[in-house]
Amino acid sequence: MKICIIYSTPTDRLSDSQYLVTDEDTKDSAEIVKRALDRLGHNTSLFPVTPTNISELATIKADLIFNLIEWCASDLKSAQKVFKVLDKIK
């Protein structure tokens, strides 16, 4: 099974924030999930999502998209854009 793991990257809003570390750990989580799925024999890839590349999600060719987007608060609009693109993927 081909699985694409999408995950949120820190936004500009957090670049000078004490909370930057909490957003950076999302990449670590994605890599842990990838290793576990690889060990089970799946063909996995990672897709770091930024506010500027959301439309590129539509190009993903996978049997399953594993969503690790963790944007909230003022980044919620970006998360909602992600969900709209994912809803259109067949």
Side-chain angles (χ1 to χ4, degrees), residues 4-90:
C4 182
I5 303 159
I6 65 171
Y7 63 94
S8 51
T9 58
T11 61
D12 291 339
R13 173 183 66 84
L14 289 175
S15 62
D16 294 324
S17 167
Q18 65 186 12
Y19 303 108
L20 178 62
V21 173
T22 63
D23 256 17
E24 289 178 331
D25 76 343
T26 305
K27 180 181 179 186
D28 297 337
S29 296
E31 290 172 347
I32 290 167
V33 169
K34 182 181 185 329
R35 284 193 301 272
L37 292 170
D38 287 343
R39 279 193 298 268
L40 292 171
H42 298 291
N43 177 7
T44 61
S45 61
L46 295 172
F47 189 107
V49 181
T50 68
T52 60
N53 76 350
I54 293 171
S55 63
E56 293 174 31
L57 289 167
T59 66
I60 293 174
K61 302 293 184 214
D63 300 309
L64 176 82
I65 296 175
F66 196 109
N67 182 1
L68 290 177
I69 300 293
E70 294 186 7
W71 286 325
C72 61
S74 64
D75 296 322
L76 187 57
K77 288 185 182 190
S78 291
Q80 290 170 331
K81 289 178 185 177
V82 168
F83 301 143
K84 284 183 182 180
V85 172
L86 292 178
D87 280 343
K88 293 179 183 177
I89 294 176
K90 301 283 183 201

